[in-house]
Every structure is written in C-alpha cells, then in structure tokens.
Amino acid sequence: MATKTDPKPAALADEKTGGNYQGLSREQLVEAYRIMYTSRRIDDREILLKRQQKIFFQISGAGHEAIGVAAAFVLKPAYDWFYPYYRDRALCLALGETPYQMFLQGVGAADDPSSGGRQMPSHWSFPHLNIVTQSSPTGSQILQAVGCAEAGRYLAAHPESARKAYGDFREFKDVTFHGDEVTYVSLGDGTTSEGEFWEALNTASNRKLPLVFVVEDNGYAISVPVEVQTAGGNISRLVAGFPNFHFEEIDGTDPVATYAAFARSVAHCRAAQGPSLIHAHVIRPYSHSLSDDERLYRPDAERQRDAARDPITRTQMFLLREGILDEKGINRLEKQVEESLQIAVDQALDAAFPQPETVTRYVYSPYLDPTSSAFETAPVFPEPVDGKKPTPKTMADLINTTLRDEMRRDERIVIFGEDVADCSRDQYLREKQIKGKGGVFKLTWGLQPEFGADRVFNSPLAEANIVGRATGMATRGLKPVVEIQFFDYIWPAMLQLRDELPLIRWRSNNGFSAPTVIRVAIGGYLTGGAIYHSQCGESIFTHIPGLRVVFPSNALDACGLLRTAIRCDDPVLFLEHKRLYRETFGRSPYPGPDYMIPFGKAKIVQPGTDLSVITYGAVVPRALQAAQKLEREHGVKVELIDLRCLNPFDWETIANSVRKTNRAIVAYEDTLSWGYGAEIAARIADALFDQLDAPVRRVAAKDTFVAYQPILENAILPQVNDLFLAMKQLAEY
Ligand SMILES: Cc1ncc(C[n+]2csc(CCOP(=O)(O)OP(=O)(O)O)c2C)c(N)n1
Ligand SMILES: [Mg+2]
C-alpha cells in the first residue's frame, strides 16, 4: 500500500523511460520549463519592484517551482481543489493564472483577483480555478482542505443537495462536484510542527479522504532548521504510521520525479483509496522573504550545496542534454518570457488602486441581510387540543426541534462536534440496543437516526479540527452546524475563529464565503461548574468583524434566531446558555418550522420609564426579578432590554430607551473589565451624553474566575441583589 522513494538527487535523465519521461512528453517538459522560468523571473521582478518601492512585500517561490508544475500536470483546475501556500507561484501559473494578475497582487490593485489589494502578494485566491483563498498563519489551510475533501464526498453521496434553492444562503452559493475530485494542500517543513497538521492527517487518514498533502521541505522555517522543528529531522519517518495513506519522499527539484510521484499519489486519491503525502525536498535560494537575509544563519558552503540543486538550472541542463531544446531554443523561450513579463509589469503599474470607501465591503454577505424583514416571520403555534394549550417547551427542546426541521428542509446541513452523534457505532442504534446520546446536553439527540451518520457525526476531540473542517465544507457550499461542547474549550479553535472563518469573504474580496453556524454551550450559574465549565467571553468574538454573535435568553428566541443563523449567508457564533437550556423561565410551544427572528433586533422584556437595563443571556431573568422587586418596593419602572443578538446589536432600541429614561445600566455575566458592556456604555456616553441624568453603570462578574464552591460562585457572578442595588442606586442618582 504505502510506497516510499528515497530522495534522488540523481540526474533527471535517470527518469527517462521508453522514449518519454515518466509519461511527460517533450512538449510538456518545455512547457514545464517555461512555467518554472516564468515563476522565477516573476520573483526577480517583484524583488526589483519592492526595492523601487512600487510594491510593498515579496515572498518567493524560488526553489519550489518543480513541485508546482508537476502537480498542475496531474491535477485539474476548476475540477480539483487547491489549498496552496505562499511558495506555490509555479502551481498557480501552471493551473492558469497569469503573471499580470500576480503583479496586480504586488501593487495591491483594485483588480487584483485574489483580494482586491487586501492581502499580501502570494496569498493566492482564484475562484475560477478552485484555488481557495489562503492566509498568512502557517498551516491554517490544512484542516480547511480536509473539510473541502469531505464536502466533495458528501455532495457525491447527496447530489440533490447541490441544487440551487431560494430564500436562503443557497441562492448565492454555487455548488460543483465531480465525485472523484482531489484536494491539494501544501505546507512547509516548519509548518508540520503545527498541531493542526497532525489533526488533519488524523482525520484524512481515518476518513480515507482524497487529499494530497504536499510538504515542501526546504530545510528551514525562516532561520530554524528542520532538525530543530521535526523529531529526527525527517517528517516522512514520523507520519509513516498513518493508515490508508500513500507516501512519497522525493527530490522536489526534479520535475520528472516529482511528476511521477504526483501521478501515483493522485491516482491513489482518485481511486478513493485514501490520502497521499508527498514529502518533497527542495531549496530556498532567496532567503525566507525579502525581509530576511539567510547569510546571517547559513554559511556559504551550505548555500552553495543548495544552489547545485536549483530546479531551474537542473531543468535547463536536462532539456539541453536530452536534446529537447538547444541553446538557441532556451534563449528564445527565456526572451519570450522576459518580454511578456515586461508588458505585464507595465500594465500592473498602471492599474487603478482600490477606493478607500470600499474597506468595509464584504465583511458580511452583500446578498443576504440577516437584519432584514426577510428574516421576520410570525410564530405559528400548535392549535389547542381539547381546549388544552400546547405544552411550553424548554430552550433545549426547541433548539433540537429547530435543527431537525432545518435538516429536513436543507440537505446541505451537516452536524458534527464532540459527542453530538447518538452513537458512532451505528449498528447499536439500528438494532435499537441503545437510546443514543446526542450531545452532552442532548441538543442533537434523535438527529442521527433520522438523517444518517454522514449528516450527524462525532468529531475527534479537537476544536480546531471542528471549526477548520467546517470552514472548508462551507466554502464548498455545505452548511455545517457544528457544536463546541463548552465555551471554555473553544480556544484551540481560536486561530480558525479569529484568522480564518470570518475573514474568508473579506480577504478574497467576495471570491469565497463560508457561512457556518457554530453552536456553543456557554455560561455559569451552574452551582459547581467552576472555572472550566462556566466561562463567558462573548466580547472576544464580538470584536471580530465578519462574525455574527447571537446569545438568546429564552426558548422562542433561541428557535427563531437559530433558524436565521442557519439560513443566513454569514458565519454565526450561536451562544447557548447552559443554565437556560432547561429553565422554567422562557419556555414556549414550538412556533413552527419557519419561525425566524432577524439579527440585531432587541426585545423589550418589560417596558419602563425610569431606567434602562440593557442585558442578554442568563442575566435577563435575574434582571427581571430585580426590576420587579424594585417596582414593588420603590415604584421604580425599569425598561428591560434583552439584546438577543450581540453583533449586530440593536442600537436603535437602546437609544430610544435611554432617551426616554435618561439612565442606563449594562448588565452581563462576563467579567466586568474590557467586556461587552464597555462598548455599549461608550456608545451611550458618546451619542446620548446630553440625554443622561446619571453616569452609565455596568453590573457584571468580578474580574476573577468562576469558582467551584457555590458561595464563591455567587460572590463572583452578578446576582439578583447586585442588580437590584445597582438599579436602585442609579434610579436615586
Ligand atoms: C502561525 C504562524 N506562526 C508564525 C508565522 C511567521 N512565519 C511565516 S513563514 C514562517 C516559516 C515557515 O516555514 P516553513 O513551513 O518551513 O515554510 P517555508 O517558508 O520554509 O516554505 C513563519 C515562522 C506565521 N505566518 N504563522
Ligand atoms: Mg521551510
């Protein structure tokens, strides 16, 4: 099954078999050289342009060119999928990108097809070729590539789901699949040290995904050599134990050997045998980037040894030696390349720059506005039976029912996370030996038996794995509705949540999008939840442009907002307060399979004239109790506002209320300082300063951690009495 080829710095002619070269024709070899040479010369041009301050950053693909052409000769643009990294200039050229478009990236032109001037050059994004937007955090593309490969398989198994549908995100998400497409993902040797790389290998192996991992090993990660990064100094040795893989270790400066390795690896993937990993030894002749000088940490002798393996000179010598091109032919080809690059540079330097007023464009979907009335529908409650009103259900019940009804409506929805399946060992369920788990809070219970194990399944215990894969799936057009079991454990996914998922659309200038729902059990008041089962921290996420953040306080809102989250065209963090899941407060009968609440619309829980209390989540019932007591005992009428949605938030309702009451408290469960209340308080102070009769107050948790002992927990989290006292004081101010 697994094969291994030792790196072979032997002459290219060794690869010659039977009149052709591992299946490559003489014409293809000339074409390979043309692309490799073009790639190198684009780097040279960019270096010059950077020195002339006409572009602002340069990172080269020098030394890695043979990998790109070999891959592109085997894989198919706009058919297979590509998650390259910054050294893959030759790959992008070979797949069909033009030098002109690359120079547009360098100058940051409005017409830069990768990002419209938003990202550095060599951050490839070419939707028409299935080259998916990449970022700068090394390795963050790998789990997304896993999700992409999974989506291809899912779509082949559910072809109907790919059809266009109207009235939700599907209207704007074209979906293509072929059934045997392969996903390419590349990374450097240093990046194999990232945990997400290992999480990706694990899932690709376990699910036998059609994914080609390409480790472009130039021996260095900036200045850190491979033996410091990688135990034993060789990644091939470490990964060899992963089942279902086809492995290759090759000299990646040799286009013929590299081509042969790609041909074998891609065949393995196309035949649905599992993933492949190509470990290609390459060189890095131009330092890490233009900001680095490798002479500071690499002696001349070592650099000269690398230079002897330069893929450009090796390939040129090979063409000459094999009589494929003579010296004149080489010169002619190189001259043509130089001339075409000159034209491309001149054109790119003339290109228009992006307009400053476009900077917030594509932070969110330009097509579907989740705050609009399209997401406002009336509840349709069940009819009374025998004069008996329908039983009110808990928030947990309604979330479960909403997920079920949305999955019935939209076959693109897949649910995964830790323990969310009823039973991974499917036969126990089918044989009715067990009842099923369906999540640690049972919110996804009953979904796997109805929708099958390929729509509701368990992930490994790895949060980045969940969010990274979801991002890749959503990029292909699925709607992952994933679960993070506890907010306290969302942090391993933070890179994906801060640098990836919410940025896909903006950084690709609307070339790609990844509308995903991430459900997270959040919050304390658990009596024993302690530090690691009680955290809030929503403001960390409301601080991320591109991410919608929702935090309902009752069953009906959870239902209506979850449906909006699922149907909308943006990534949504859906925060579910654990304490509210089964609370008596806020129960409701199911409002029907189309009930939606638009984002950014607060709810006035109780109207009042004396004081505005702006809150959300589990503080809502506590603030209500406090307000009722205050009215009973002191006749103060509090207007209680439940924001429900934190980004976007309903400024209009807040402002109208404060204009009426002239006093405001922002109350929230998270720690007081730097929290969500700071933003609301600042806005009120800024916009309504002359309306205020008192300072804006905050009531929140103490600036510490939530302790286990209930006496401590009570002292730490804001209680009814804290709210009562703050309201009373502010009313008296
Ligand atoms: C997560 C992360 N940490 C650090 C960096 C800064 N950085 C950029 S490239 C790089 C080295 C990458 O080395 P390697 O994976 O071997 O790729 P190479 O550049 O050698 O091709 C580092 C440390 C980054 N971009 N992302
Ligand atoms: Mg490297």
Side-chain angles (χ1 to χ4, degrees), residues 59-60 64 85-87 136-140 187-192 194 216-224 229 284 288 495 499:
I59 192 155
S60 86
H64 294 232
Y85 88 120
Y86 46 85
R87 304 256 184 245
S136 301
T138 55
S140 56
L187 57 142
D189 46 289
T191 299
T192 64
E194 301 259 3
E216 305 187 13
D217 183 351
N218 55 23
Y220 277 91
I222 309 186
S223 69
V224 183
Q229 291 286 349
R284 194 198 65 180
H288 172 71
L495 182 84
D499 281 358

Side-chain angles (χ1 to χ4, degrees), residues 373-423:
S373 59
F375 289 90
E376 190 153 21
T377 56
V380 182
F381 293 112
E383 293 292 325
V385 180
D386 300 332
K388 258 185 70 186
K389 282 201 191 147
T391 329
K393 304 280 191 184
T394 64
M395 183 193 274
D397 290 333
L398 290 203
I399 289 174
N400 177 265
T401 311
T402 307
L403 290 171
R404 185 199 67 202
D405 279 354
E406 286 305 293
M407 288 192 85
R408 285 180 182 166
R409 179 180 173 275
D410 178 359
E411 208 183 347
R412 290 199 206 172
I413 297 172
V414 292
I415 288 184
F416 63 102
E418 293 156 16
D419 302 287
V420 302
D422 276 345
C423 184

Side-chain angles (χ1 to χ4, degrees), residues 576-615:
E576 301 170 0
H577 202 290
K578 296 179 284 257
R579 181 60 204 263
L580 298 176
Y581 271 151
R582 292 180 170 81
E583 198 90 326
T584 320
F585 169 84
R587 291 190 185 190
S588 166
Y590 186 55
D594 283 309
Y595 180 59
M596 284 185 286
I597 299 171
F599 287 171
K601 299 279 182 292
K603 180 175 163 187
I604 297 181
V605 181
Q606 161 182 302
T609 46
D610 302 330
L611 165 67
S612 304
V613 174
I614 300 133
T615 187

Side-chain angles (χ1 to χ4, degrees), residues 327-346:
E327 215 166 306
K328 260 203 201 138
I330 298 269
N331 286 341
R332 196 171 334 121
L333 179 151
E334 292 182 352
K335 189 157 170 278
Q336 281 168 354
V337 170
E338 300 295 350
E339 284 168 3
S340 69
L341 290 190
Q342 188 58 52
I343 295 168
V345 168
D346 291 344

Side-chain angles (χ1 to χ4, degrees), residues 39-107:
S39 179
R40 181 68 61 92
R41 295 299 290 153
I42 294 175
D43 281 325
D44 294 334
R45 288 281 179 151
E46 280 191 357
I47 289 165
L48 212 62
L49 291 167
K50 170 78 174 72
R51 296 215 160 105
Q52 296 165 343
Q53 298 182 5
K54 290 179 174 158
I55 68 170
F56 316 98
F57 179 76
Q58 209 283 327
I59 192 155
S60 86
H64 294 232
E65 293 94 342
I67 296 171
V69 291
F73 281 2
V74 177
L75 293 160
K76 297 181 260 190
Y79 185 104
D80 295 315
W81 287 78
F82 301 88
Y83 284 78
Y85 88 120
Y86 46 85
R87 304 256 184 245
D88 281 346
R89 185 190 298 291
L91 172 79
C92 294
L93 287 170
L95 289 173
E97 257 332 288
T98 65
Y100 168 61
Q101 285 171 324
M102 292 188 176
F103 290 124
L104 287 179
Q105 282 192 318
V107 299

